[in-house]
């Protein structure tokens, strides 16, 4: 029987080897802090999505701050990342408020978080 991939493994296949290594370090720090991995966390979906929203909003603020002080070449890249972070925050806020997005197709894509076709083009 095929072994189920952990959340860490699923995330690692989406990123570069360097980012995958950093993800593993984050899991180790999370284990030290919380005593469990995300796979072991029994919090309900709504609580986890709220936490994801809060983390993304923090990311957006860090990126906006960095964009203000970055050199001109890096500023454009950071601006693009701000757009992505804002899109994720908006989608999570709609999910957390249980409000459908403007495009009904997007609702199914984001609500089906356990499905194999998670959004990858944001």
């Amino acid at each position: 029987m095929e072994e189920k991939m952990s959340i860490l493994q699923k995330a690692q296949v989406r990123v570069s080897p360097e980012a995958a290594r950093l993800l593993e370090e984050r899991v180790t720090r999370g284990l030290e802090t919380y005593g469990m991995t995300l796979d072991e966390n029994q919090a309900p979906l709504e609580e986890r999505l709220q936490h994801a929203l809060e983390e993304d909003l923090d990311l957006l603020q860090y990126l906006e701050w960095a964009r203000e002080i970055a050199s001109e070449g890096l500023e454009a890249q950071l601006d693009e990342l701000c757009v992505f972070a804002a899109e994720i925050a908006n989608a999570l806020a709609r999910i957390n408020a249980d409000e459908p997005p403007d495009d009904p197709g997007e609702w199914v894509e984001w609500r089906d978080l356990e499905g194999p076709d998670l959004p990858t083009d944001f």
Side-chain angles (χ1 to χ4, degrees), residues 23-38:
L23 272 167
E24 198 157 333
E25 288 177 13
R26 295 287 302 158
V27 168
T28 299
R29 288 175 63 190
L31 272 169
E32 292 169 1
T33 303
Y34 302 107
M36 72 180 87
T37 65
L38 283 174

Side-chain angles (χ1 to χ4, degrees), residues 6 9 37 50:
S6 70
Q9 292 168 322
T37 65
Q50 179 62 35

Side-chain angles (χ1 to χ4, degrees), residues 59-103:
L59 171 64
L60 180 55
Q61 290 183 86
Y62 277 112
L63 292 171
E64 288 289 359
W65 170 82
R67 192 177 64 78
E68 285 186 7
I69 65 168
S71 62
E72 199 169 304
L74 188 56
E75 181 183 328
Q77 291 175 315
L78 290 168
D79 188 55
E80 187 174 333
L81 290 174
C82 287
V83 169
F84 291 147
E87 288 178 10
I88 292 168
N90 289 333
L92 286 169
R94 286 192 305 262
I95 289 170
N96 288 355
D98 207 26
E99 296 175 10
D102 297 333
D103 176 4

Side-chain angles (χ1 to χ4, degrees), residues 34 38 46-56 96:
Y34 302 107
L38 283 174
E46 294 79 12
E47 185 177 323
R48 290 182 186 207
L49 290 175
Q50 179 62 35
H51 190 212
L53 173 59
E54 292 167 5
E55 293 285 350
D56 185 67
N96 288 355

